């Protein structure tokens, strides 16, 4: 290995390790179990370090790592003969009339403006994972819809729809209309 | 079904700048629809707040190992509410603006030349500190690059304007109004002289945020609004 490529690998390894807290948070959002999240994040880092050459320079390293982590998680679920988060009927009918059937009214807009961050975070945490995870990846991790779709292995239109519905649910709950 | 109904599910994508996923008909509709425009803004504001709250789907475990701030995070010492004292000999002069309305004066100041130009947030903060003699609140502004600052006076109000470049490349100015007593917290959305602006009332003071990127403006407004004294 040349000196330059060794140096580049060292840089990338450092970048991967630096993203460990982000991986841990994402793993937590998938598993909701501290120990499992730590194992998942550690395994994702180990695999990423071992296969750095697969990463395409110029693409998003964080999205690549999240995808590795998500794949490991799916494999763990398969090995345990469980199914990855199926959409429950409860989640599908979570908005019987649906706040998305109408526009955000001025009162709701004002509530969002005035909402304290802790209230926003609390409202977010009540979301079902099917909406929370795409919203987390796009809003907090600032990944594109395409990157999020790739990580979650769903069509980009699904990401768009879930992000929209997730945000509308948070708005509705901030305005006191949530469950 | 209202005229907006078929377009609603695309509004989040518009708010996130994912417009290549949005039908042209929806983009056309939004241009002429106040309700949809408001909803896009609401999505942008909520995103800013979610980002600031750094939410996770549930309470995450404490982070271990290396922790680093996201690239581009600027911890800028911004000028607070009661910027009152001009320090003689500091080499800084207040420029008088004739508008009696401090918000209008802030709009004018936003397009005036900078009195200090620097990409170093601490240097700009130090300049403002020397001029105002105030202990300044720290505001976390993700991805914003400070460009410089200027100081103006309008009637009885002193105005300290800090200029940033948003990650999208747009210019954002934050003008702090001295003498504007904090009236709770909240954000007013106004248009003055063709400029869309946000007036942010927070415990640390009143600020006027002006810029070309609505997303970046709301991000800054949310950061200011949530800053504690």
């Amino acid at each position: 290995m040349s000196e330059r490529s060794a140096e580049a690998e060292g840089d990338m390894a450092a970048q991967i390790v630096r993203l460990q807290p982000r991986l841990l948070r994402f793993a937590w959002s998938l598993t909701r179990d501290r120990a499992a999240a730590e194992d998942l994040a550690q395994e994702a880092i180990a695999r990423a370090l071992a296969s750095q050459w697969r990463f395409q320079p110029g693409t998003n390293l964080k999205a690549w790592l999240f995808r590795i982590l998500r794949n490991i998680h799916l494999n763990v679920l398969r090995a345990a003969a469980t199914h990855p988060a199926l959409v429950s009927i409860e989640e599908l009918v979570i908005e019987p009339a649906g706040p998305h059937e109408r526009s955000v009214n001025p009162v709701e807009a004002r509530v969002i403006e005035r909402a304290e961050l802790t209230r926003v975070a609390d409202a977010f945490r009540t979301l079902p994972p099917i909406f929370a995870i795409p919203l987390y990846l796009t809003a907090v991790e600032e990944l594109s819809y395409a990157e999020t779709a790739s990580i979650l292995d769903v069509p980009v239109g699904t990401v768009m729809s879930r992000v929209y519905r997730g945000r509308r649910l948070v708005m509705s709950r901030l305005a006191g209309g949530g469950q | 079904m209202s005229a907006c109904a078929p377009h609603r599910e695309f509004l989040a994508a518009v708010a996130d700048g994912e417009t290549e996923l949005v039908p042209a008909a929806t983009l056309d509709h939004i241009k002429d629809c106040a309700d949809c425009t408001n909803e896009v803004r609401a999505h942008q504001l909520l995103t800013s707040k979610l980002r600031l709250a750094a939410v996770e789907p549930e309470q995450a475990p404490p982070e271990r190992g290396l922790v680093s701030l996201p690239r581009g995070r600027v911890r800028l010492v911004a000028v607070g509410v009661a910027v009152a004292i001009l320090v003689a000999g500091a080499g800084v002069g207040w420029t008088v603006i004739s508008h009696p309305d401090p918000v209008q004066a802030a709009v004018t100041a936003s397009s005036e030349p900078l009195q200090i130009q620097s990409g170093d947030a601490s240097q700009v903060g130090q300049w403002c500190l020397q001029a105002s003699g105030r202990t300044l609140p720290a505001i976390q502004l993700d991805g914003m690059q400070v460009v410089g600052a200027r100081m103006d006076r309008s009637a009885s109000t002193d105005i300290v304007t800090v200029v940033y470049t948003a990650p999208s490349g747009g210019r954002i100015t934050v003008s702090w109004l001295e003498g504007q007593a904090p009236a709770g917290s909240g954000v007013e959305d106004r248009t003055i002289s063709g400029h869309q602006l946000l007036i942010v009332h927070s415990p640390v003071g009143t600020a006027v945020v002006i810029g070309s990127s609505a997303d970046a403006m709301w991000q800054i407004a949310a950061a200011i609004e949530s800053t504690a004294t």
Side-chain angles (χ1 to χ4, degrees):
Chain A
M1 183 187 300
S2 73
E3 224 171 75
R4 176 172 285 190
S5 63
E7 190 184 325
E9 260 192 23
D11 285 350
M12 188 166 164
Q15 288 177 48
I16 290 170
V17 172
R18 224 175 282 139
L19 286 165
Q20 184 257 6
R22 300 299 186 102
L23 284 165
L24 189 55
R25 285 185 183 191
F26 180 47
W28 173 263
S29 76
L30 295 172
T31 63
R32 303 195 176 193
D33 176 277
R34 177 191 294 258
E38 288 176 351
D39 289 347
L40 201 49
Q42 200 166 344
E43 178 66 17
I45 288 177
R47 288 201 194 175
L49 290 173
S51 57
Q52 318 177 23
W53 56 273
R54 287 176 185 263
F55 176 70
Q56 290 184 313
T59 58
N60 188 329
L61 178 62
K62 187 165 65 178
W64 182 65
L65 291 170
F66 279 17
R67 185 162 172 78
I68 290 173
L69 190 148
R70 164 84 173 166
N71 286 340
I72 296 169
H73 179 57
L74 288 175
N75 288 338
V76 168
L77 292 174
R78 284 193 197 106
T82 58
H83 294 287
L86 294 175
V87 181
S88 72
I89 294 295
E90 186 189 344
E91 286 169 354
L92 285 173
V93 297
I94 198 155
E95 297 174 83
H100 59 287
E101 297 299 329
R102 55 174 176 73
S103 301
V104 172
N105 66 46
V107 174
E108 283 176 320
R110 195 74 184 158
V111 166
I112 298 163
E113 281 177 15
R114 292 179 173 274
E116 291 178 3
L117 295 182
T118 49
R119 274 199 68 215
V120 174
D122 288 346
F124 177 83
R125 288 194 189 102
T126 65
L127 288 182
I130 193 171
F131 300 126
I133 292 171
L135 186 51
Y136 172 73
L137 290 173
T138 56
V140 180
E141 294 295 347
E142 301 183 48
L143 296 175
S144 70
Y145 284 19
E147 288 166 340
T148 300
S150 168
I151 290 165
L152 301 180
D153 204 18
V154 297
V156 73
T158 303
V159 170
M160 180 169 62
S161 170
R162 290 179 184 176
V163 167
Y164 172 77
R165 287 166 60 84
R167 272 206 291 244
R168 286 305 303 253
L169 279 170
V170 174
M171 290 178 196
S172 168
R173 287 168 188 185
L174 286 173
Q179 33 236 283
Chain B
M1 180 187 284
S2 79
C4 300
H7 305 294
R8 285 217 178 93
E9 204 137 354
F10 296 102
L11 298 181
V14 174
D16 291 334
E18 299 267 358
T19 49
E20 72 280 7
L21 303 174
V22 180
T26 296
L27 296 173
D28 286 343
H29 168 83
I30 294 169
K31 280 181 200 162
D32 300 321
C33 177
D35 283 349
C36 287
T37 302
N38 285 339
E39 181 160 343
V40 167
R41 285 203 195 122
H43 280 276
Q44 289 171 333
L45 177 60
L46 184 56
T47 293
S48 297
K49 292 209 167 188
L50 287 169
R51 206 166 283 164
L52 287 166
V55 293
E56 306 89 37
E58 281 186 11
Q59 189 65 48
E63 290 174 353
R64 299 193 314 195
L66 292 171
V67 178
S68 63
L69 291 173
R71 175 180 290 187
R73 171 167 283 193
V74 176
R75 187 170 184 83
L76 174 70
V77 176
V79 178
V81 57
V83 179
I85 306 165
L86 171 63
V87 177
V92 179
W94 298 90
T95 304
V96 176
I97 293 180
S98 58
H99 287 299
D101 176 359
V103 175
Q104 287 204 346
V107 172
T108 303
S110 71
S111 55
E112 292 295 317
L114 297 172
Q115 292 169 331
I116 176 177
Q117 272 189 303
S118 171
D120 182 345
S122 61
Q123 193 181 357
V124 173
Q126 189 63 30
W127 182 85
C128 296
L129 177 62
Q130 282 179 350
S132 67
R134 292 282 304 170
T135 301
L136 311 172
I139 295 172
Q140 206 76 47
L141 300 173
D142 285 359
M144 298 287 167
Q145 175 62 54
V146 67
V147 176
R150 64 172 288 111
M151 300 200 177
D152 301 276
R153 174 167 290 158
S154 159
S156 60
T157 303
D158 292 331
I159 302 167
V160 180
T161 300
V162 183
V163 180
Y164 305 88
T165 302
S168 59
R171 175 186 158 106
I172 307 285
T173 65
V174 179
S175 296
W176 293 90
L177 309 183
E178 182 277 326
Q180 303 289 306
S185 62
V187 182
E188 289 176 51
D189 186 359
R190 281 167 62 176
T191 302
I192 294 180
S193 306
H195 295 271
Q196 189 192 353
L197 53 92
L198 302 175
I199 303 170
V200 189
H201 304 282
S202 81
V204 295
T206 300
V208 180
V209 181
I210 302 169
S212 52
S213 162
D215 194 20
M217 287 168 63
W218 281 108
Q219 184 189 338
I220 287 182
I224 294 171
E225 190 191 2
S226 60
T227 301
T229 47

